[in-house]
């Protein structure tokens, strides 16, 4: 290693001398001694010091917070209560393990933050490389926020334990509608989707129509992907009645305009084989 020399830097026609500090010279001297004794070696990285985990306490009204000893009639009421608390606090919730009695009555149950625990390592194993898999972002971080309820009287459950703090940041109020446990396809959204489908309007346009009628995306109650998934599941349920729905739509067009003509052929097994239709303009031409 070369000795530490002054460094000259030109600045607007002048030269300034920057001399190394005493601590820097001492550091170079120690490194020179070590390298002379042990030779050139790769520096050993020190073990990283674990960071102290920060805790986040939700801010909401006191009447919405669970309390140890609080009782509720039925598990449905407990679930709705903790779901409302999670929505106003800015985190998603999920249902944990439960234990039942001999008569299949639930003895105890756990409701927790959706980021509780850690993702299983077995889920990352690639069995068939040729099959494409969706990339899922890891959301589990070992959060311990939860409530634990226990049966005290017939169909009455009491909160035995409650952990309020989280080890992750909470969702801001303007983004709470995007939490998965807070999203739901409402009956209004279903009716709008069905009406748009009858008018041959796609799901994306139906979602934009909902956004305008409800006064913003935050008031729709679901995302566009939720609406698309619901429509996919709906088509899967009616897959055996799609031919009848198609013919019924043609019949409605004929009722609205008698000049509209349609005809179809059904096989011996009752399956739709051929369909022909022509509107008034086509028949006139």
């Amino acid at each position: 290693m070369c000795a530490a020399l002054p460094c000259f830097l030109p600045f607007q026609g002048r030269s300034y001398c920057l001399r190394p500090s005493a601590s820097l010279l001492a550091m170079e001297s120690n490194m020179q001694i070590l390298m002379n004794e042990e030779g050139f070696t790769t520096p050993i990285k020190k073990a990283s010091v674990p960071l102290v985990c920060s805790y986040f306490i939700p801010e909401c009204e006191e009447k919405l917070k669970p309390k140890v000893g609080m009782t509720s009639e039925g598990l449905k009421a407990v679930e709705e209560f903790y779901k409302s608390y999670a929505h106003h606090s800015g985190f998603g919730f999920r249902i944990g393990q439960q234990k039942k009695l001999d008569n299949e009555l639930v003895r105890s149950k756990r409701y927790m933050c959706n980021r509780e625990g850690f993702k299983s390592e077995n889920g990352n194993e690639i069995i068939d490389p040729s099959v494409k898999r969706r990339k899922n972002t890891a959301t589990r971080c070992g959060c311990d926020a939860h409530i634990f309820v226990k049966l005290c009287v017939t169909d009455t459950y009491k909160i035995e334990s409650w952990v309020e703090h989280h080890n992750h940041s909470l969702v801001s109020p303007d983004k709470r509608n995007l939490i998965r446990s807070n999203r739901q396809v409402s009956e209004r959204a279903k009716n709008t989707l069905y009406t748009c489908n009858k008018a041959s309007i796609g799901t994306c346009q139906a979602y934009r129509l909902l956004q305008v009628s409800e006064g913003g995306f935050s008031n729709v109650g679901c995302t566009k992907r939720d609406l698309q998934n619901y429509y996919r599941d709906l088509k899967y349920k009616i897959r055996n009645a799609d031919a009848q729905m198609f013919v019924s739509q043609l019949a409605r067009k004929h009722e609205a305009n008698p000049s509209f003509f349609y005809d179809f052929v059904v096989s011996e097994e009752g399956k739709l084989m051929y369909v022909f239709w022509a509107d008034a303009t086509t028949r006139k031409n």
Side-chain angles (χ1 to χ4, degrees), residues 152-208:
C152 57
V153 191
T154 303
D155 202 27
T156 302
Y157 293 86
K158 182 175 67 174
I159 299 178
E160 294 289 336
S161 65
W162 170 45
V163 176
E164 182 180 12
H165 56 266
H166 300 253
N167 64 349
H168 56 87
S169 59
L170 303 175
V171 180
S172 58
D174 59 331
K175 298 292 190 298
R176 289 174 184 174
N177 62 297
L178 301 177
I179 300 177
R180 185 173 183 178
S181 57
N182 296 337
R183 303 198 309 260
Q184 183 180 7
V185 181
S186 62
E187 292 297 328
R188 180 180 177 85
K190 294 177 182 178
N191 295 333
T192 302
L193 181 62
Y194 178 72
T195 305
C196 292
N197 182 33
K198 289 173 59 177
S200 301
I201 299 177
T203 310
C204 296
Q205 288 77 9
Y207 185 73
R208 294 182 62 183

Side-chain angles (χ1 to χ4, degrees), residues 241-257:
D242 54 351
Q244 181 61 44
M245 294 177 62
F246 177 56
V247 174
S248 300
Q249 186 175 5
L250 297 178
R252 288 193 297 268
K253 290 182 176 293
H254 178 70
E255 293 177 1
N257 186 2

Side-chain angles (χ1 to χ4, degrees), residues 52-260:
V52 178
C53 182
S54 299
Y55 290 104
F56 299 86
I57 298 179
E59 296 181 0
C60 66
E61 299 179 10
E62 287 294 328
K63 62 180 181 180
L64 298 176
K65 293 184 178 181
K67 298 292 187 299
V68 176
M70 183 182 295
T71 58
S72 298
E73 295 291 336
L75 291 175
K76 187 65 177 179
V78 177
E79 180 180 341
E80 292 297 330
F81 174 75
Y82 194 68
K83 182 178 180 179
S84 176
Y85 165 69
H87 173 72
H88 289 85
S89 301
F91 69 93
F93 93 105
R94 60 190 179 92
I95 302 175
Q97 296 178 345
Q98 64 180 11
K99 293 183 179 180
K100 293 184 178 182
L101 299 174
D102 295 336
N103 56 354
E104 298 299 322
L105 183 65
V106 177
R107 183 182 66 180
S108 61
K109 201 164 188 176
R110 182 185 174 100
Y111 301 89
M112 63 192 73
C113 174
N114 63 344
R115 304 189 69 176
E116 188 270 346
F118 297 93
K119 188 177 181 180
S120 176
E121 295 294 337
N122 297 331
N124 297 328
E125 296 180 358
I126 300 177
I127 301 176
D128 189 359
S130 61
V131 179
K132 293 184 179 180
R133 299 179 60 187
R134 179 183 299 177
K135 294 182 180 180
N136 296 326
T137 305
T139 57
R140 303 289 182 87
C141 60
C143 182
D144 195 36
H146 72 277
I147 61 169
F148 179 77
V149 296
K150 196 172 182 179
L151 181 67
C152 57
V153 191
T154 303
D155 202 27
T156 302
Y157 293 86
K158 182 175 67 174
I159 299 178
E160 294 289 336
S161 65
W162 170 45
V163 176
E164 182 180 12
H165 56 266
H166 300 253
N167 64 349
H168 56 87
S169 59
L170 303 175
V171 180
S172 58
D174 59 331
K175 298 292 190 298
R176 289 174 184 174
N177 62 297
L178 301 177
I179 300 177
R180 185 173 183 178
S181 57
N182 296 337
R183 303 198 309 260
Q184 183 180 7
V185 181
S186 62
E187 292 297 328
R188 180 180 177 85
K190 294 177 182 178
N191 295 333
T192 302
L193 181 62
Y194 178 72
T195 305
C196 292
N197 182 33
K198 289 173 59 177
S200 301
I201 299 177
T203 310
C204 296
Q205 288 77 9
Y207 185 73
R208 294 182 62 183
L209 180 62
L210 279 171
Q211 177 262 330
V212 174
S213 61
E214 297 294 338
F217 291 108
S218 58
N219 299 328
V220 176
C222 62
T223 62
K224 182 174 66 174
R225 177 63 65 182
D226 296 332
L227 205 63
Q228 291 173 342
N229 292 340
Y230 169 77
Y231 186 54
R232 177 202 61 195
D233 298 338
L234 180 62
K235 290 194 299 183
Y236 181 77
K237 290 180 180 179
I238 63 176
R239 64 187 186 277
N240 295 328
D242 54 351
Q244 181 61 44
M245 294 177 62
F246 177 56
V247 174
S248 300
Q249 186 175 5
L250 297 178
R252 288 193 297 268
K253 290 182 176 293
H254 178 70
E255 293 177 1
N257 186 2
S259 299
F260 182 86

